Amino acid sequence: HGGGGVGREGGGAGDARRPELAPVAAAFAVVAGPAAMMEALGSMAIAGGALFGYNRKNFLYDRRMRQEQEFQIAEMRLRAADLWREDVRDMTGLTEKKMDTYMVVNMLQMGFSVTLFIEGRLQSGTPQWLLCLYMCCNAGAFMFLVLSVWMSMHASVVTKSSAFRIL
């Protein structure tokens, strides 16, 4: 057998699991003593520590980059929500302004219709059917103008309440 330690013929624990490594293990144990083994383990520990430090730096760098990315995504979502709210305010403001304009114009036209009722007399001798037709047309116009003012007020209120509910 020759000397202490692991023999070449297969007496160690490593030899039973991987027989092809038996000659290498035996040569290492015979040539290198316990001091060399400790030195090799120390070198491996230093290399492992350096590798761990390198991986830790990479890990911390990746975590910081991922956190910055998540913050950027959250900020972009907040900006998108702000833009959406601004769009809703613009659309509802446009509708409300348009309805207010309709209301002013239709109120002026209602004033004209009332003026025609009060001061818009036809000349004497006008046939009765023409006077009746004139009054029916003026009353119909007045009713549609009242309806238009009512609907524009309603649309303005609905727009304001919808904007409040959406936002």
Side-chain angles (χ1 to χ4, degrees):
H1 217 66
V6 179
R8 292 183 191 257
E9 284 82 38
D15 294 336
R17 287 183 295 188
R18 300 193 65 191
E20 69 272 5
L21 294 179
V24 175
F28 186 74
V30 169
V31 173
M37 191 75 131
M38 291 303 286
E39 185 179 328
L41 287 176
S43 297
M44 287 175 29
I46 290 172
L51 185 62
F52 176 75
Y54 174 76
N55 282 338
R56 180 167 165 70
K57 286 178 187 174
N58 281 342
F59 174 77
L60 292 176
Y61 176 76
D62 286 345
R63 285 307 303 160
R64 190 180 75 229
M65 293 301 286
R66 184 172 292 136
Q67 187 177 26
E68 288 177 10
Q69 178 186 17
E70 288 174 3
F71 287 156
Q72 184 70 23
I73 288 170
E75 189 175 321
M76 288 173 52
R77 286 181 180 162
L78 286 173
R79 276 194 244 140
D82 287 341
L83 287 174
W84 180 79
R85 286 185 186 107
E86 185 180 340
D87 288 345
V88 169
R89 285 186 192 110
D90 289 344
M91 299 274 284
T92 57
L94 180 68
T95 303
E96 191 175 350
K97 192 170 192 164
K98 189 185 293 186
M99 292 301 120
D100 290 344
T101 304
Y102 286 159
M103 202 175 340
V104 169
V105 170
N106 289 336
M107 287 299 288
L108 284 172
Q109 288 180 349
M110 274 177 44
F112 296 151
S113 181
V114 168
T115 302
L116 281 177
F117 268 129
I118 295 172
E119 298 176 7
R121 301 283 178 213
L122 296 177
Q123 295 178 355
S124 60
T126 304
Q128 192 66 24
W129 63 270
L130 189 57
L131 185 60
C132 183
L133 187 61
Y134 169 75
M135 287 296 180
C136 284
C137 286
N138 201 11
F142 184 79
M143 285 184 349
F144 279 116
L145 289 169
V146 166
L147 186 64
S148 175
V149 168
W150 178 50
M151 291 294 182
S152 65
M153 282 193 308
H154 180 68
S156 184
V157 169
V158 166
T159 301
K160 186 71 101 175
S161 67
S162 296
F164 180 74
R165 189 170 14 120
I166 289 173
L167 298 176

